[in-house]
Amino acid sequence: MATDTTVLKKKDFQSDQEVRWCPGCGDYAILSALQTVMPELGIPKERLVVISGIGCSSRFPYYMNTFGFHTIHGRAPAIATGLKTSRPDLEVWVITGDGDALSIGGNHLIHALRRNVNLKILLFNNRIYGLTKGQYSPTSEVGKRTKSTPVGSIDTPFDPVSVALGAGASMVARSVDIFQKHLKETLRRVAEHSGSAFVEILQNCNIFNDGAFSYLTDKEQREAEGLYLEHGQPLVFGPEGARRGLRLDPTSLRLENVALGDGVEAEDCLVWDENRPDPALAFLLAQCRPPEYPTALGVLRRVERPTYDGAVVEQIAQQQERRGTGTLEELLYSGETWQVAADGSIRR
Amino acid sequence: MTTEAPTEDLGAATPAEQQPLSEVVIRFAGDSGDGMQITGTQFTSTSALVGNDLSTLPDFPAEIRAPAGTLPGVSAFQVRIADHDIHTPGDAPDVLVAMNPAALEVNLKDLEPNGVVILNTDEFTARNFKKAGLETDPREDGKLEGYRVFEVDLTTVTRRALEDSPLDVRAKDRCKNFFALGMCYWLFSRPMEPTVEWLQKKFAKKPEVAEANITCLRAGWNYCDITGLFQVKYEVESAALRPGTYRNINGNLALALGSVAASRKSGLPLFLGSYPITPASDLLHHLSTMKHYGVTTFQAEDEIAAVCAAIGASFGGALGMCSTSGPGLALKAEAINLALMVELPLVVFNIQRAGPSTGMPTKTEQSDLLQAMFGRNGEAPLPVIAPESPADCFWAALEACRVAVESMVPVVLLSDGYLANGAEPWRLPDLSELPDFPVEFHSEVEGFAPYSRDDETLARPWAIPGTAGLEHRIGGLEKQDLTGNVSYDPDNHQRMTDLRAEKVARVARRIAPLEVDGPTKGKLLVLGWGSTQGTIHGAVKAARAEGLEVSRAHLRWLNPFPSNLEEVLASFDQVLVPEMNGGQLAFLLRGTFLADVVSYPKVEGKPFYRHEIVTRIKQCLEVE
């Protein structure tokens, strides 16, 4: 019997396990946001499955009172693909981190996204390896000093949103652990999407990489540094009195960060269209970073295309329509057969 | 000629029109573009329809098209046909069809003394000698002494037969394998109709191609009839096969059929996660054509994703399986261990090939036994099963699936390149012979504990997502007994480790005891596993025909071993263990039972020859 979804509350999604992240970890805020949003989705909780890999973020399933699978390092998207493909009736959420999804599991992430498996993938990006106690990650900035890079990292980092866009994800978004309202709204929007939805959640690791996003998350910075994308609205940001906007320079194909006023108005800025079929503008926005640009938050891309799991089911149904569901006898006796009679005679 | 049964000597043929043969081994060899595999399979299919027992061994290069005329480009197909029960494709060919000098150079050394060689002399040119690394014409430098050589200008006669065909010269030349096949049909008195019909069906949309090949097939037959090239034609009578319906089957197809049968018999949808790898890819290909049986095939981005997707499907209640070969098994190790830890069913088909590393992808070996047993971190035993013949792959797949779902455990099935590509006639089972093992998912909410266990099998309940009230979490971290919560408790870890091991050990209660062929005690037991069954069987028969007392047994389950194995080992003075690896089963037997077995390892990338094992039997028994 299915759960009555009308009475579900946040606590119904809280498991009996003690949450064991470091005090002050940004993961608490993300867990709370998801547990708040889940009851609103109207999905029986037995149909929700949370799948994770390895890392701090990947402890997540233990704290959700749904079906959960804490798998192995980097492989959550692959396991989720198998589950969703064979059980399209389930809602499958993948919880991963910057090391899990972009380093050891980079291959699975991009392939799940390109296939458009109907998965919700939340990548907690804290730009550090936390569970192994402080090595640099594939999103750590060049020059970062960590236990494994005592004189500074020399790797160029990934931008997770750009990776997802490059992989052809049908929905890509970015939010911040402590921007609860924005995060919940992003999660709601993601839940509605049919297809792979990828969310980079900027998450503070207060032990090994404290303040990694303080340029954006400090109270006085939020308005100046955050570009909150709204479909159909111009790309403008900044506090009252210091409003700015983004324009496209048609000759360099670069975004221009311009002050509004003095003859430049919001109408002169680019109008955001999250449904654009080509991802070019989303790429430009994804790669906006301080000090030259604000950080784009919200939905960077949302397009409709057939889901992989849907296509698999459809193909099987088509084959069954055309060829019947087949009996074991038909299968075994297919191909070239011949009969040997009791007297040894042979018939084809 | 092979000596399994009294046979006649082709070389000493009397001029009689028709001469009976008990059996014959034929090898078709040519460039990888010469169509030797098709020629061989056609000869095989037709022979099956004549009622012969048969066994085949394809041998193709790893390169799709190595440079034409070179030694690495040689592709061969060996088929043995007999009027009696046989188990192997034969040690050495009696007849070699060589389409070019390279094919002759590669294969001549295997030919029986006084064997027949049929050559395409059109290809015996200075240029081709050079390509094959030959300094002299093998027809003139004495290499062919001691063989009966028949020279045919195959390309010329093929072109002549196709004078009226609309095909261009290149397309015409591609028909020469059917000219050669026609000659072999004449020589061994096979009917042409089955191949004619096959060609008509195969090239239904290209009737001119079908017509040209049929013309050549008939021309090859007529050529022998008219020229009197061979003074004798041979007849291999039908074998006394058990009444029933038969089809030819190779190991990979049999695994696919066994998997679908398991899906139907368990009531679970089949999900195959796979990444293409030689020699396992055909399993993916076959199952991809069976979608209407409710089969989902997922060609993953890599070996790891393939097994992970299968595990995800199993979590959701499907029969999750994956197909791979040695290097892929190595990549899958961590994920297989996850399935072992979370105790979900999974079937891993490992079609072994010669290793280590990339090794020799198209060559056979049994060298992944220890990898299957131990190639994972931690204490991680799992059941391992090995089919003994191409057709047995069907039954082994079915059994592997049954054990996987009954015990909630990953099972590794060890096939190999020899079984995968070798074919034999298979008497199709009556469907009532197949075991039912319907799976019921756990649904009782009251008292549900994810790591409670079945008293008999020790399997935990399979509680799939979507079942209200059974929400629970699983993962690779050590589990607390019963609850499945994460636990670092020392006593709990010992207990869970013991439980996982005991669960696998208990599979032995449900598998057949080891049967001994021959006296159940004595001087010598030959103990094998997997694909060597046919050769060992033949060797033991041959040794007995020489008056030697020797018994034989063949292991199907490598883990757990059948419960009477120790007793069987103790009943013989010596136990000879031939295997296509460095002695891996011998290592296991010594380690498990302190049994001083005689290891007979062979790592040449090809199956044992029967005579090799006969020789070892004699050495063990100290007879000449």
Side-chain angles (χ1 to χ4, degrees):
Chain A
M1 193 178 334
T3 311
D4 179 359
T5 58
T6 58
V7 298
L8 288 176
K9 301 214 159 45
K10 183 178 179 183
K11 68 171 172 37
D12 293 312
F13 288 89
Q14 295 169 335
S15 79
D16 59 358
Q17 298 296 296
E18 184 195 346
V19 183
R20 288 194 202 164
W21 285 308
C22 306
C25 176
D27 289 356
Y28 284 96
I30 306 171
L31 177 65
S32 173
L34 194 63
Q35 285 171 337
T36 307
V37 169
M38 282 292 180
E40 302 170 12
L41 302 179
I43 300 162
K45 68 183 170 117
E46 67 270 16
R47 277 187 30 222
L48 283 162
V49 184
V50 184
I51 299 186
S52 64
I54 293 291
C56 291
S57 61
S58 289
R59 295 298 178 102
F60 206 94
Y62 291 119
Y63 311 134
M64 293 290 295
N65 190 18
T66 63
F67 280 90
F69 200 167
H70 178 212
T71 71
I72 44 177
H73 207 8
R75 317 303 171 198
I79 288 172
T81 295
L83 178 63
K84 182 67 186 174
T85 303
S86 59
R87 288 288 306 278
D89 58 310
L90 301 173
E91 299 297 325
V92 183
W93 291 63
V94 171
I95 309 294
T96 184
D98 40 317
D100 193 52
L102 294 174
S103 223
I104 193 166
N107 200 29
H108 310 308
L109 176 72
I110 59 174
H111 287 279
L113 295 175
R114 78 162 167 93
R115 289 189 183 104
N116 202 31
V117 185
N118 198 345
L119 303 173
K120 314 298 166 241
I121 302 174
L122 311 185
L123 186 155
F124 301 4
N125 180 15
N126 57 15
R127 309 186 80 174
I128 197 78
Y129 281 80
L131 200 62
T132 50
K133 302 196 190 330
Q135 299 81 15
Y136 77 115
S137 93
T139 56
S140 296
E141 61 276 21
V142 173
K144 179 130 197 120
R145 288 174 189 269
T146 70
K147 280 185 188 154
S148 58
T149 51
V151 291
S153 155
I154 53 175
D155 291 21
T156 302
F158 267 140
D159 166 53
V161 163
S162 299
V163 171
L165 289 168
S170 58
M171 183 169 189
V172 182
R174 185 189 280 148
S175 191
V176 182
D177 53 2
I178 57 168
F179 292 4
Q180 283 285 297
K181 189 163 168 263
H182 187 267
L183 177 58
K184 286 177 202 162
E185 185 50 31
T186 304
L187 294 175
R188 283 182 200 106
R189 296 221 39 211
V190 151
E192 287 165 7
H193 179 65
S194 170
S196 304
F198 173 87
V199 189
E200 179 196 12
I201 303 173
L202 308 181
Q203 176 244 323
N204 192 42
C205 172
N206 57 324
I207 304 296
F208 294 108
N209 200 17
D210 196 21
F213 304 105
S214 58
Y215 64 87
L216 169 67
T217 57
D218 283 357
K219 278 223 160 60
E220 59 278 15
Q221 300 282 88
R222 291 181 188 182
E223 277 189 273
E225 289 295 331
L227 170 64
Y228 300 89
L229 301 174
E230 281 184 68
H231 182 63
Q233 299 298 316
L235 296 175
V236 295
F237 63 101
E240 260 336 298
R243 297 286 282 166
R244 304 185 67 86
L246 295 182
R247 286 196 314 202
L248 186 67
D249 174 6
T251 52
S252 68
L253 289 181
R254 279 172 49 86
L255 291 173
E256 282 182 303
N257 180 353
V258 293
L260 299 188
D262 269 347
V264 182
E265 299 307 323
E267 297 81 76
D268 299 320
C269 296
L270 278 167
V271 173
W272 179 233
D273 176 5
E274 64 189 27
N275 306 135
R276 279 174 70 113
D278 76 275
L281 187 56
F283 265 115
L284 289 179
L285 282 176
Q287 287 167 35
C288 283
R289 52 178 85 5
E292 196 179 354
Y293 295 108
T295 301
L297 298 171
V299 176
L300 284 102
R301 177 174 172 79
R302 195 184 72 80
V303 295
E304 296 289 334
R305 60 185 181 94
T307 64
Y308 179 79
D309 38 300
V312 165
V313 170
E314 199 177 314
Q315 210 172 47
I316 289 174
Q318 274 172 1
Q319 287 291 302
Q320 289 178 333
E321 179 124 328
R322 244 189 59 207
R323 305 169 70 182
T325 49
T327 66
L328 212 41
E329 188 157 19
E330 280 165 19
L331 178 69
L332 297 188
Y333 285 70
S334 64
E336 224 167 278
T337 61
W338 68 97
Q339 282 87 39
V340 177
D343 65 358
S345 65
I346 292 162
R347 236 168 358 100
R348 286 169 72 192
Chain B
M1 303 302 288
T2 48
T3 52
E4 186 161 10
T7 54
E8 294 71 28
D9 189 342
L10 277 183
T14 60
E17 173 68 9
Q18 200 90 352
Q19 186 178 309
L21 275 182
S22 173
E23 62 164 278
V24 67
V25 179
I26 303 163
R27 187 181 294 177
F28 299 94
D31 236 7
S32 56
D34 278 341
M36 291 297 95
Q37 302 301 323
I38 288 178
T39 311
T41 43
Q42 277 306 304
F43 192 90
T44 304
S45 300
T46 300
S47 297
L49 294 172
V50 173
N52 298 135
D53 196 7
L54 55 87
S55 178
T56 70
L57 177 67
D59 181 15
F60 32 76
E63 294 79 11
I64 302 304
R65 290 275 188 279
T70 63
L71 301 180
V74 174
S75 168
F77 188 102
Q78 182 164 316
V79 53
R80 177 183 180 203
I81 54 174
D83 65 1
H84 55 278
D85 188 23
I86 57 169
H87 313 285
T88 72
D91 284 6
D94 304 303
V95 178
L96 171 65
V97 179
M99 303 295 276
N100 65 16
L104 181 69
E105 175 67 14
V106 170
N107 292 287
L108 186 65
K109 60 183 182 303
D110 295 334
L111 194 62
E112 282 285 339
N114 214 19
V116 168
V117 188
I118 300 171
L119 297 178
N120 175 13
T121 54
D122 284 332
E123 293 290 323
F124 279 65
T125 61
R127 203 173 121 82
N128 283 346
F129 297 150
K130 203 175 157 202
K131 280 193 206 164
L134 299 170
E135 276 164 20
T136 51
D137 185 339
R139 297 171 298 177
E140 290 162 5
D141 62 9
K143 259 193 190 139
L144 292 172
E145 267 170 36
Y147 302 108
R148 286 169 50 82
V149 181
F150 297 90
E151 298 188 24
V152 186
D153 47 350
L154 205 55
T155 313
T156 307
V157 290
T158 297
R159 285 183 192 174
R160 198 178 300 149
L162 294 176
E163 256 170 12
D164 299 333
S165 165
L167 299 181
D168 63 29
V169 175
R170 276 174 63 103
K172 284 179 183 175
D173 285 355
R174 276 202 292 270
C175 300
K176 62 180 182 290
N177 58 328
F178 278 89
F179 195 100
L181 183 63
M183 292 174 63
C184 291
Y185 278 1
W186 184 91
L187 188 58
F188 294 100
S189 317
R190 320 266 97 178
M192 286 185 283
E193 292 73 32
T195 297
V196 169
E197 284 171 27
W198 179 84
L199 282 165
Q200 281 164 343
K201 213 170 140 190
K202 167 106 178 157
F203 295 109
K205 288 183 180 149
K206 293 179 186 167
E208 67 284 359
V209 175
E211 203 43 53
N213 280 305
I214 292 166
T215 302
C216 286
L217 182 73
R218 295 209 163 108
W221 173 285
N222 294 337
Y223 180 87
C224 295
D225 223 25
I226 294 160
T227 61
L229 179 70
F230 308 107
Q231 286 159 12
V232 64
K233 60 193 298 190
Y234 303 96
E235 180 107 53
V236 180
E237 289 288 326
S238 58
L241 295 169
R242 266 177 77 192
T245 302
Y246 285 77
R247 71 185 283 187
N248 276 328
I249 192 122
N250 65 42
N252 276 344
L253 179 57
L255 286 179
L257 298 179
S259 302
V260 176
S263 163
R264 288 286 161 109
K265 289 294 175 179
S266 62
L268 302 174
L270 191 165
F271 182 100
L272 175 85
S274 189
Y275 186 78
I277 184 169
T278 302
S281 304
D282 273 346
L283 188 46
L284 168 63
H285 304 161
H286 288 309
L287 284 170
S288 301
T289 67
M290 298 174 189
K291 289 195 162 78
H292 59 301
Y293 287 92
V295 170
T296 301
T297 53
F298 172 64
Q299 183 178 316
E301 58 270 23
D302 60 28
E303 292 280 357
I304 298 171
V307 63
C308 283
I311 292 169
S314 282
F315 180 50
L319 184 56
M321 49 181 73
C322 51
S323 52
T324 190
S325 189
L329 186 66
L331 285 164
K332 292 179 193 306
E334 188 193 13
I336 293 171
N337 237 358
L338 175 68
L340 185 147
M341 192 68 161
V342 297
E343 304 191 37
L344 282 171
L346 173 73
V347 178
V348 180
F349 295 118
N350 181 39
I351 321 301
Q352 302 165 96
R353 66 191 214 188
S357 189
T358 311
M360 301 192 287
T362 57
K363 306 300 175 190
T364 195
E365 214 159 273
Q366 295 179 299
S367 46
D368 293 342
L369 174 57
L370 293 184
Q371 184 185 200
M373 289 290 294
F374 304 122
R376 290 169 300 284
N377 67 306
E379 290 296 330
L382 48 68
V384 179
I385 187 174
E388 62 173 37
S389 72
D392 185 46
C393 286
F394 174 84
W395 298 104
L398 197 57
E399 201 169 344
C401 293
R402 181 175 62 81
V403 166
V405 298
E406 280 178 1
S407 293
M408 295 289 281
V409 72
V411 176
V412 175
L413 181 147
L414 293 175
S415 176
D416 60 31
Y418 172 74
L419 294 181
N421 295 313
E424 63 179 354
W426 179 35
R427 194 186 68 82
L428 294 168
D430 187 11
L431 293 186
S432 61
E433 294 172 43
L434 307 185
D436 277 308
F437 49 102
V439 169
E440 268 188 53
F441 299 119
H442 188 87
S443 59
E444 182 61 46
V445 176
E446 191 61 36
F448 170 64
Y451 277 74
S452 59
R453 290 180 191 279
D454 180 87
D455 289 342
E456 174 57 28
T457 62
L458 297 183
R460 76 177 188 91
W462 197 354
I464 62 170
T467 320
L470 298 188
E471 294 84 1
H472 67 284
R473 275 64 57 193
I474 56 173
L477 288 169
E478 181 60 288
K479 299 281 161 291
Q480 189 179 51
D481 196 10
L482 297 174
T483 66
N485 290 332
V486 175
S487 169
Y488 282 82
D489 179 74
D491 293 340
N492 180 75
H493 181 49
Q494 180 75 55
R495 176 165 170 71
M496 293 301 278
T497 303
D498 295 345
L499 276 168
R500 286 186 290 263
E502 174 63 14
K503 184 175 76 165
V504 173
R506 285 200 188 180
V507 172
R509 296 182 181 180
R510 314 198 299 283
I511 63 177
L514 185 64
E515 269 184 54
V516 176
D517 168 20
T520 53
K521 55 175 67 173
K523 285 186 183 152
L524 180 63
L525 173 78
V526 185
L527 180 67
W529 69 277
S531 72
T532 53
Q533 190 272 147
T535 313
I536 294 176
H537 192 170
V540 166
K541 263 164 80 174
R544 285 181 192 151
E546 293 185 44
L548 301 178
E549 193 192 301
V550 52
S551 297
R552 178 185 77 88
H554 211 72
L555 284 169
R556 179 178 193 71
W557 285 98
L558 284 310
N559 197 38
F561 282 134
S563 42
N564 64 333
L565 176 58
E566 186 165 23
E567 189 192 321
V568 170
L569 292 175
S571 304
F572 290 88
D573 298 343
Q574 291 183 83
V575 178
L576 176 66
V577 183
E579 48 187 331
M580 294 187 289
N581 58 43
Q584 299 189 11
L585 174 62
F587 177 87
L588 286 179
L589 294 171
R590 287 169 183 156
T592 310
F593 303 112
L594 287 177
D596 187 19
V597 300
V598 181
S599 177
Y600 178 17
K602 169 169 159 165
V603 192
E604 296 176 356
K606 57 183 188 181
F608 280 101
Y609 291 123
R610 188 175 56 187
H611 67 78
E612 293 173 328
I613 295 177
V614 172
T615 302
R616 285 300 171 109
I617 289 171
K618 288 179 179 170
Q619 280 172 4
C620 286
L621 296 174
E622 293 177 341
V623 294
E624 279 308 304

